[in-house]
Amino acid sequence: MQLDVIAKIRTDFPEKFGIPRQSGLVPELVGKIVFEPKYRNSDALRGLEGFSHLWVIWGFSLGFASSSDDRKWSPTVRPPRLGGNTRIGVFATRSPNRPNPIGLSCVKILSIEETEDSGTVIIVSGIDMADLTPIYDIKPYLPHADCIADASGGFSVDVLGKKLDIVISDEVKSSMSEEKINALKKLLEDDPRPSYQDDGRIYGLTFAGFDVQFKVEEKVLSVISIKKV
């Protein structure tokens, strides 16, 4: 089966490290879905303005082999949120280490805009994708069908609500806009580090064109520096 890339999304994440583990966890993170020239037809989006959310089907574009013959897969993975030592069946997780590098995200539609250079674009929030991630399809979220009130969350429920306290001095955050600082705080609250790494080292992630250095002690994450890349 051959899949066409219908669009790519522009986000603040040029690298994998730091991207939220699930869509919707950080509503402050905004992305722009830009359609490929072949699919820049506003008629294809007619009626979408009546929906609040989208399902986005996309491909992992960073750190994956391009051919299925080159990819190795394991029937079990070690979710970082479980400490990195507990093995769970790959199909019981949302790990990116899968037989097929396909992602599924639910994002909120903020606006649908006409642009001179890219045609109709969709501005969405709650993203969990790297910059220029290829998109294979979008579908409207249907509350009456997609929302299951009594669904169970398995082992994922055990890690909900575990947040870090974020400390950023006025001097450190002065180089970044307030909007981006708020998004960064929400991003860091969920602790982007693998859960099994609690060694007090300094970590760095690239976000919105800035190199962000931080460290974690106990349950407090302190941002050491924010510098333009």
Side-chain angles (χ1 to χ4, degrees):
M1 179 176 64
Q2 182 176 348
L3 298 176
D4 279 354
V5 174
I6 67 164
K8 292 181 180 177
I9 189 166
R10 302 310 310 258
T11 76
D12 286 323
F13 295 101
E15 303 169 353
K16 288 188 295 184
F17 184 65
I19 297 176
R21 293 179 173 90
Q22 305 293 335
S23 60
L25 291 181
V26 186
E28 290 83 359
L29 293 177
V30 175
K32 178 170 67 173
I33 297 175
V34 181
F35 289 89
E36 296 292 281
K38 179 180 177 180
Y39 297 100
R40 287 178 189 171
N41 188 326
S42 59
D43 287 341
L45 301 178
R46 188 184 302 168
L48 188 61
E49 68 278 357
F51 294 90
S52 65
H53 291 74
L54 276 180
W55 287 112
V56 180
I57 301 170
W58 51 277
F60 293 101
S61 57
L62 298 178
F64 288 86
S66 59
S67 167
S68 60
D69 294 334
D70 298 330
R71 285 196 298 270
K72 295 181 180 180
W73 81 286
S74 171
T76 61
V77 295
R78 296 184 294 179
R81 283 304 202 187
L82 293 182
N85 295 314
T86 303
R87 284 201 168 271
I88 299 292
V90 64
F91 298 129
T93 74
R94 294 192 176 185
S95 167
N97 300 306
R98 323 183 69 77
N100 293 301
I102 297 174
L104 176 68
S105 299
C106 184
V107 296
K108 183 177 181 179
I109 301 173
L110 297 180
S111 62
I112 301 174
E113 303 176 0
E114 292 291 336
T115 68
E116 290 187 9
D117 56 343
S118 301
T120 307
V121 301
I122 308 174
I123 311 300
V124 296
S125 66
I127 57 96
D128 62 343
M129 291 163 271
D131 190 37
L132 296 176
T133 290
I135 294 174
Y136 300 125
D137 203 358
I138 62 173
K139 301 175 186 289
Y141 176 91
L142 304 178
H144 67 278
D146 295 337
C147 181
I148 303 174
D150 59 350
S152 58
F155 67 85
S156 67
V157 176
D158 296 334
V159 298
L160 293 176
K162 296 181 179 180
K163 303 287 186 180
L164 295 177
D165 293 325
I166 308 300
V167 175
I168 310 177
S169 70
D170 290 339
E171 181 181 359
V172 168
K173 68 183 179 182
S174 62
S175 58
M176 186 179 283
S177 70
E178 183 177 356
E179 178 185 16
K180 296 299 183 183
I181 285 290
N182 290 336
L184 178 65
K185 286 181 177 179
K186 291 291 185 181
L187 174 67
L188 295 176
E189 280 180 359
D190 282 323
D191 195 351
R193 305 172 304 157
S195 295
Y196 50 84
Q197 293 186 1
D198 193 14
D199 49 11
R201 60 180 280 194
I202 295 176
Y203 290 83
L205 64 85
T206 305
F207 171 69
F210 290 86
D211 176 56
V212 180
Q213 301 283 316
F214 66 91
K215 65 179 180 179
V216 180
E217 296 177 344
E218 298 295 331
K219 295 298 181 181
V220 178
L221 185 152
S222 300
V223 177
I224 299 171
S225 66
I226 299 176
K227 297 181 180 178
K228 193 74 174 176
V229 175

